[in-house]
Amino acid sequence: MDRGSLRIFLGAAPGVGKTYAMLEEAHRLAAAGTDVVVGVVMDHGRAQTAALTEGLELVPLRLVEYRGTSLPEMDVDAVLARSPHTVLVDEYAHTNAPGSRHAKRWEDVDELLAAGINVLTTVNVQHLASLNDVVESITGTRQQEVIPDAIVRAADQIELVDIPPELLRQRLGSGLVYAPDKIDAALANYFRLGNLSALREIALIWLADRVEEGLAAYRERHHIEETWPARERVVVALTGGPEGEALIRRAARILSRVSGGDLLAVHVRTPDGLAEGSEQHLAAQRALVGDLGGSYQQLAGDDIAASLLDFARSVNATQIVVGVSRHTRLQQLLGRGGVGTAVVRDSGEIDVHMVTHALAGRAPRRRLTPLLGRPRTVAGYVLAFAVPIAMTAALAPFPEINLTTQALAHLCAVVLVAFIGGLWPAVVAAVFDSLLLNYFVTPPVGNLTIADPQNFFALAVFLAVAVAFSLVVGVSSRRSRDAAVARAEAGTLSELARGSLARDQGPAEFLEQLLHEFQLASASLLAADDGGWTVRAEAGPGAPTDPDGADGADRIGPGLTLAWRGRPLSGGERRLLAAFEAHLAALLERQELATSLRETVRLGEANRIRTSILRAVSHDLRTPLAGIRLAVTALERQSGSMSAEERTEMLAAIDSYAGRLDSLVANLLDMSRIDSAALSVLHEPVAWREVVAEVLAEFPAGAVRVDLAPNLPAIDADRGLLERALANIVQNALKYAPGSDIVVLATAGGLLAPGIGDRPVSELRVVDHGTGVPPERVVAMFQPFQRLGDEGKGPGIGLGLAVAKGFVEAMGGVLAAEPTPGGGLTMVIRMPLYAGPLDEEGD
């Protein structure tokens, strides 16, 4: 059985007419004789949409019971049993009710398609998984029902149902989309003109990519290799040289003449790698491509021109931009015409722009660097002459030795020179040895003439073998050197990655590691700032403050440059440096993400506190206000019929409620001062007895028992703050341990307490014998807006202990909670003893 086809009606926003268009298509199919049924259509109370379902066969919905509610869902079994040609399934991204066969409606649709039934469905761009967060950032509304993009892209047809944003707002205002009571809110929020315009553009861009995918699939399916210029797409060939920037900007200017084009920069890496300095050029050019809105690709291939053309044809490119060859005229005469010549020759229907530049025709200078180090190379050249002479002198007393034995001995000399000096000293030794053999061994001796052709052949073979062996030794040395460098780079990168994972490294510490690794004098991380430079991190003495004053500089990100002073870096070191720079960029990005996370957590906590405040205002502050208003109303309306006792009772109620309001507002203000670090502490000698007497005067007589030791020493505190803290603690004890024995105790002092350093302290304990607090709730008890059990019993908004803890710690003390023996809670205030006024340095 063939699989059914899927056709999706895509909309930029609710109300554009997706379901309406789907129903119109269903009527058109039915009129043409197609068997069409409605599996599920959601009209959302829109009369015009509901009217279009008339005349179409409706498959009854299935009711799913969930938490005592019947939820209507599409009956997949009924649709399969009916087996129509086409079925209408609205809201492709819908989440089915728990207990359904599938969690998502698109899974129901997939089962219908597998049964050979064609499906018409609808979806909005806000439901696409890749666009969900983008739509949320635009509209401020997050859609919980999402569908993977791959599921939607797999549809056989996707039709965009589009109307101008102004017309959609008119439809909304006319009541054609939402109920009248929701119109104003929708127009002011989700359906703002800017939101709709942005959503429309997102839908068009997403669908354009889908069309591009369809075109690519069609060309591949029909083996079409020639370019179809449906969209302007320019490919820039980057060699890794400094001319790449000019090529990129030229390509950008070409695309500026059209709209909707693509810029693709391509670098083909060959097995022999890059020339010195190319990694840095490529990094800068990759950043430039990103700034210009293009994309960067890196390919691997032996033939640069062929790889470039294959890529261009695979992306349906219309133009290629290449630079004029840097080969000299001699190299071109020898057949090295460059990549541009090959691209032009084989480009076919793709236009090729060959752009001249300052380096055209100027081949880069390549410096032959010794593979084994300069001392060994110099020693090799010396031995290339000394060893053959010594070997000739050593064999001179033995004239009976034939030419073959002499050649083998001299070949050993070449081998010795090759092992010590490498390739070129060994070649010199081979040539010099052949001359010595010719002069001193082959007849006629004493001149460079060779009489016997066999001797000429023997010397030629000797020279060939010696040179070949030298070449082998040179290649071996190069491979050994490359392997050693690769091991060193791998070890460095491994250590870099391990250090990154093991610890939270800062930019300055990272720069120190960079100096140690590359033996540089100093380095700095510079940020562009209004035409100048700001040093974000530095290491080493005399770190550069701008790129112009440095020995080297690389751009590592938007507005960020790494500059250093010291020695020049080789090509291999620059490649390794590029890895360090990528790590530094990732480190900075990670720090920014961590900062963003902390800010998000802070905002979340602030939002939680704000929500708690609003909840408190809606309940705890409203209750006393209602009591005051009720008492005042009673006094106004019944003042003549009230007795003096009733009037006194009403006034007392007003005073009580007002006092409660004053306490709540005071705690809110105090908490705000603590959170904003605006709390000012006045240190002075304070006596516990005076503070306790002042605080307990606010509470009913006999509610709290006092047991203070005589001759208590003065403590170092702010009298006002300490009174507020103690009042909150006592009030908390009275509220949560009513009727129990509440005692205020104080010790004579001289103790040492954790959290106060080495200063002696005095303790004040507020002991109650109530229900106590579980150990796991002790920490949360001191958090703002936390009440015992979170039950919200009695007045207060859970700020008392938080304010008390903040005040005590601001004065340099400690507030702790301990279980009372026998049950209950003991609050302990530990304050340092007064030791005289602080000096000017605060010591």
Side-chain angles (χ1 to χ4, degrees):
M1 178 183 297
D2 293 336
R3 183 178 175 85
S5 65
L6 175 63
R7 182 175 177 182
I8 297 178
F9 293 85
L10 177 68
V16 296
K18 305 179 302 300
T19 305
Y20 194 90
M22 180 180 67
L23 289 169
E24 284 186 328
E25 178 64 14
H27 280 284
R28 189 189 66 80
L29 292 173
T34 303
D35 183 16
V36 181
V37 301
V38 176
V40 57
V41 166
M42 311 298 293
D43 57 44
H44 298 288
R46 299 163 190 167
Q48 294 180 347
T49 303
L52 273 181
T53 59
E54 298 178 4
L56 296 175
E57 180 182 346
L58 305 178
V59 177
L61 299 177
R62 181 173 60 93
L63 297 180
V64 179
E65 296 294 329
Y66 180 67
R67 293 183 178 180
T69 304
S70 297
L71 303 175
E73 296 290 352
M74 181 178 65
D75 194 337
V76 179
D77 292 328
V79 175
L80 291 173
R82 173 64 174 75
S83 187
H85 179 274
T86 302
V87 61
L88 275 62
V89 182
D90 205 4
E91 297 187 357
Y92 195 32
H94 171 76
T95 301
N96 292 329
S100 301
R101 180 186 305 181
H102 301 119
K104 293 288 187 177
R105 182 165 290 170
W106 63 264
E107 296 175 308
D108 296 337
V109 169
D110 189 66
E111 185 175 351
L112 297 177
L113 293 173
I117 301 174
N118 299 331
V119 177
L120 304 182
T121 188
T122 64
V123 71
N124 280 332
V125 293
Q126 67 190 38
H127 297 289
L128 297 174
S130 66
L131 301 177
N132 187 253
D133 56 340
V134 178
V135 174
E136 180 187 9
S137 66
I138 294 172
T139 64
T141 303
R142 185 168 187 82
Q143 180 56 245
Q144 299 301 322
E145 293 183 330
V146 296
I147 184 171
D149 288 46
I151 301 298
V152 180
R153 290 184 184 275
D156 298 277
Q157 297 181 50
I158 300 178
E159 179 179 330
L160 179 65
V161 181
D162 181 43
I163 62 174
E166 296 83 357
L167 181 57
L168 178 55
R169 285 173 58 86
Q170 290 180 12
R171 293 190 60 196
L172 183 65
S174 301
L176 301 178
V177 179
Y178 288 155
D181 59 334
K182 298 180 180 179
I183 293 176
D184 292 339
L187 288 173
N189 294 283
Y190 192 95
F191 287 83
R192 293 197 301 268
L193 186 61
N195 290 358
L196 297 178
S197 299
L199 292 175
R200 188 187 191 196
E201 183 176 0
I202 290 173
L204 290 171
I205 293 175
W206 189 91
L207 189 60
D209 291 339
R210 171 62 171 80
V211 172
E212 185 73 23
E213 292 174 2
L215 178 60
Y218 178 85
R219 295 176 68 239
E220 181 179 359
R221 189 165 55 249
H222 291 81
H223 307 289
I224 300 174
E225 296 183 357
E226 60 269 17
T227 300
W228 285 7
R231 184 176 185 177
E232 201 70 35
R233 186 169 284 114
V234 179
V235 173
V236 184
L238 302 178
T239 64
E243 71 277 4
E245 181 176 344
L247 302 184
I248 294 171
R249 296 191 184 278
R250 178 60 180 272
R253 288 197 298 271
I254 293 174
L255 280 176
S256 65
R257 306 187 185 109
V258 298
S259 59
D262 294 331
L263 173 63
L264 297 93
V266 179
H267 171 69
V268 180
R269 186 181 292 272
T270 56
D272 57 355
L274 287 168
E276 182 175 340
S278 295
E279 289 286 2
Q280 286 65 44
H281 293 309
L282 281 176
Q285 292 159 17
R286 183 164 53 243
L288 177 60
V289 171
D291 293 341
L292 294 175
S295 61
Y296 176 86
Q297 304 287 335
Q298 183 163 288
L299 311 176
D302 295 326
D303 190 332
I304 296 178
S307 300
L308 181 64
L309 288 171
D310 289 343
F311 173 81
R313 293 190 178 98
S314 68
V315 298
N316 203 25
T318 57
Q319 302 183 59
I320 298 177
V321 176
V322 296
V324 174
S325 175
R326 296 177 64 181
H327 290 155
T328 62
R329 291 186 180 274
L330 177 60
Q331 290 173 323
Q332 295 178 15
L333 290 175
L334 293 176
R336 302 184 62 181
V339 175
T341 303
V343 171
V344 172
R345 183 183 63 243
D346 302 329
S347 62
E349 70 285 354
I350 304 178
D351 297 335
V352 179
H353 298 263
M354 291 192 67
V355 180
T356 186
H357 49 86
L359 299 177
R362 297 168 55 188
R365 295 182 179 178
R366 298 186 180 274
R367 185 166 50 91
L368 294 176
T369 56
L371 295 176
L372 303 176
R374 187 171 299 277
R376 286 185 60 177
T377 304
V378 172
Y381 280 115
V382 172
L383 292 177
F385 294 97
V387 173
I389 292 174
M391 183 62 69
T392 302
L395 295 176
F398 308 99
E400 67 276 7
I401 298 178
N402 59 24
L403 177 61
T404 303
T405 305
Q406 292 268 2
L408 290 174
H410 280 270
L411 184 61
C412 292
V414 174
V415 171
L416 177 62
V417 173
F419 275 120
I420 296 176
L423 172 61
W424 295 110
V427 171
V428 172
V431 174
F432 186 58
D433 257 322
S434 66
L435 294 176
L436 292 178
L437 286 173
N438 186 12
Y439 190 87
F440 290 103
V441 178
T442 59
V445 178
N447 58 58
L448 296 177
T449 303
I450 303 177
D452 190 347
Q454 291 186 0
N455 292 338
F456 177 81
F457 180 74
L459 287 176
V461 170
F462 167 77
L463 180 60
V465 171
V467 171
F469 186 82
S470 301
L471 291 174
V472 170
V473 171
V475 172
S476 176
S477 300
R478 184 181 294 107
R479 295 291 183 265
S480 177
R481 194 277 307 265
D482 291 344
V485 171
R487 284 196 302 271
E489 290 184 359
T492 301
L493 294 176
S494 175
E495 180 64 26
L496 186 65
R498 183 166 56 251
S500 173
L501 295 175
R503 62 185 186 277
D504 188 11
Q505 198 176 36
E509 184 181 358
F510 182 83
L511 292 179
E512 290 285 356
Q513 182 181 354
L514 187 142
L515 295 185
H516 175 74
E517 179 65 33
F518 293 94
Q519 299 298 310
L520 299 174
S522 61
S524 58
L525 178 63
L526 306 176
D529 183 16
D530 295 332
W533 296 93
T534 301
V535 178
R536 286 190 53 175
E538 59 182 346
T545 57
D546 63 85
D548 295 335
D551 294 333
D554 284 335
R555 181 186 178 192
I556 64 172
L560 290 177
T561 298
L562 175 66
W564 66 87
R565 285 184 179 143
R567 62 184 183 86
L569 301 181
S570 65
E573 289 174 326
R574 295 297 294 268
R575 288 193 294 272
L576 184 59
L577 179 63
F580 271 77
E581 291 168 349
H583 180 79
L584 178 57
L587 175 64
L588 296 173
E589 183 178 359
R590 184 176 64 186
Q591 286 189 335
E592 292 176 358
L593 291 176
T595 302
S596 177
L597 177 61
R598 288 193 296 269
E599 181 66 16
T600 301
V601 172
R602 188 188 66 80
L603 292 176
E605 181 65 18
N607 184 65
R608 185 188 67 80
I609 293 176
R610 182 167 58 251
T611 302
S612 301
I613 292 176
L614 292 175
R615 186 164 56 244
V617 170
S618 65
H619 180 269
D620 294 281
L621 296 183
R622 184 185 296 175
T623 300
L625 286 174
I628 293 173
R629 185 173 181 181
L630 181 62
V632 170
T633 302
L635 287 174
E636 288 179 346
R637 296 181 179 180
Q638 304 177 18
S639 59
S641 60
M642 275 188 178
S643 64
E645 291 78 5
E646 291 174 334
R647 186 177 294 107
T648 302
E649 183 180 354
M650 289 295 177
L651 292 174
I654 292 174
D655 181 69
S656 174
Y657 285 129
R660 186 187 305 178
L661 276 177
D662 181 69
S663 176
L664 294 176
V665 173
N667 277 335
L668 284 172
L669 294 176
D670 290 339
M671 199 69 231
S672 175
R673 291 165 62 196
I674 295 173
D675 288 340
S676 62
L679 195 62
S680 178
V681 179
L682 176 63
H683 290 273
E684 58 181 342
V686 178
W688 279 124
R689 191 175 301 276
E690 297 175 357
V691 172
V692 171
E694 186 70 25
V695 170
L696 296 186
E698 303 176 4
F699 298 96
V704 179
R705 183 162 55 91
V706 180
D707 186 6
L708 301 180
N711 301 322
L712 289 173
I715 58 175
D716 186 356
D718 184 307
R719 183 186 183 92
L721 297 182
L722 187 59
E723 290 178 357
R724 292 296 306 278
L726 181 58
N728 284 349
I729 294 172
V730 172
Q731 186 179 43
N732 193 74
L734 290 172
K735 180 170 63 174
Y736 288 105
S740 71
D741 184 24
I742 300 176
V743 186
V744 177
L745 306 171
T747 61
L751 303 174
L752 295 178
I756 307 183
D758 56 357
R759 299 177 63 184
V761 301
S762 177
E763 289 185 349
L764 183 78
R765 295 174 172 263
V766 179
V767 184
D768 69 59
H769 296 276
T771 57
V773 176
E776 65 273 10
R777 292 282 296 147
V778 170
V779 175
M781 180 177 63
F782 292 105
Q783 299 297 320
F785 308 106
Q786 295 289 327
R787 289 188 278 189
L788 182 61
D790 282 334
E791 297 175 357
K793 300 185 297 183
I797 57 176
L799 279 178
L801 292 182
V803 170
K805 184 176 180 64
F807 282 177
V808 171
E809 291 179 349
M811 292 183 290
V814 174
L815 176 61
E818 300 175 356
T820 302
L825 183 69
T826 298
M827 302 297 296
V828 183
I829 304 177
R830 298 185 178 97
M831 297 297 300
L833 298 181
Y834 184 73
L838 300 177
D839 59 24
E840 294 181 355
E841 295 180 357
D843 189 14

